[in-house]
């Protein structure tokens, strides 16, 4: 994936990516987006790939949920911008949380390849951002991405 850093409107790139999921998914997706329209230095294409990978993972985790829900939030702080994506799916076992970003790690034996979160993590790291996960089994998972605040002038 070619990475060409440029100022990207985080909210707009999220909204554009989510359009296809609102139409084709039974999952209720809600967004609480920072009204200051945070801009991050990234790649528009890379961000769309990251969002798609995280949303696809959430949708898979929600396959058996009665009221499948994904909540997405952006929040701008003086030193960083945070994007969170939280679902109410099956969650991740505590013993797996430290390895979910490893290449070829998957809990979906025979279905997953263990490449998506590895790529997400590496793309974000290359951009100076960080990703981490919080999860409870049968309660859901929250992915937290921290983008550093950088001058866009």
């Amino acid at each position: 994936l070619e990475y060409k850093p440029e100022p990207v409107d985080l909210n707009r790139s999220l909204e554009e990516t989510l359009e296809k999921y609102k139409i084709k998914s039974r999952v209720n997706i809600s967004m609480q987006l920072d009204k200051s329209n945070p801009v991050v230095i990234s790649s528009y294409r890379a961000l769309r790939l990251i969002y798609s990978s995280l949303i696809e993972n959430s949708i898979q985790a929600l396959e058996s949920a009665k009221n499948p829900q994904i909540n997405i939030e952006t929040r701008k702080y003086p030193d960083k911008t945070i994007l969170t994506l939280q679902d109410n799916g099956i969650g991740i076992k505590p013993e797996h949380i430290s390895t979910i970003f490893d290449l070829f790690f998957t809990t979906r034996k025979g279905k997953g390849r263990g490449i998506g979160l590895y790529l997400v993590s590496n793309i974000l790291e290359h951009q100076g951002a960080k990703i981490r996960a919080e999860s409870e089994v049968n309660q859901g998972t929250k992915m937290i991405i921290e983008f550093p605040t950088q001058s866009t002038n």
Side-chain angles (χ1 to χ4, degrees), residues 6-152:
E6 60 187 352
V8 179
D9 181 320
L10 195 61
N11 292 350
R12 193 176 84 216
S13 63
L14 258 171
E15 289 170 330
E16 290 172 0
T17 304
L18 290 174
E19 280 306 308
K20 71 177 184 178
Y21 293 102
K22 288 182 177 181
I23 295 166
K24 76 171 194 173
S25 173
R26 71 178 188 90
V27 176
N28 181 26
I29 300 174
S30 66
M31 294 191 290
Q32 295 82 41
L33 304 180
D34 192 304
K35 293 185 183 350
S36 69
N37 290 326
V39 172
V40 297
I41 302 302
S42 186
S43 158
Y44 180 79
R45 286 180 55 207
L47 285 179
R48 300 268 316 248
L49 175 82
I50 289 165
Y51 305 150
S52 293
S53 181
L54 295 177
I55 292 165
E56 290 288 341
N57 281 358
S58 285
I59 289 171
Q60 291 166 1
L62 291 162
E63 286 175 351
S64 61
K66 289 183 180 159
N67 297 306
Q69 177 74 37
I70 298 174
N71 299 310
I72 299 171
E73 181 178 341
T74 59
R75 182 128 6 245
K76 185 176 180 180
Y77 297 94
D79 62 333
K80 62 190 167 194
T81 298
I82 296 182
L83 179 149
T84 58
L85 186 145
Q86 183 168 5
D87 66 53
N88 62 339
I90 59 174
I92 301 165
K93 293 179 181 176
E95 62 267 24
H96 293 153
I97 203 82
S98 65
T99 58
I100 62 170
F101 299 108
D102 292 352
L103 183 58
F104 303 127
F105 177 81
T106 182
T107 58
R108 303 184 74 229
K109 303 296 182 209
K111 293 182 181 178
R113 293 192 180 98
I115 296 172
L117 289 179
Y118 172 79
L119 287 176
V120 165
S121 176
N122 278 283
I123 291 167
L124 289 167
E125 187 177 304
H126 183 70
Q127 297 176 10
K130 300 177 209 166
I131 186 169
R132 62 186 168 86
E134 297 173 358
S135 189
E136 286 188 47
V137 175
N138 299 320
Q139 298 296 310
T141 300
K142 180 192 285 189
M143 293 292 187
I144 302 122
I145 301 174
E146 284 187 32
F147 295 94
T149 297
Q150 299 177 2
S151 172
T152 57

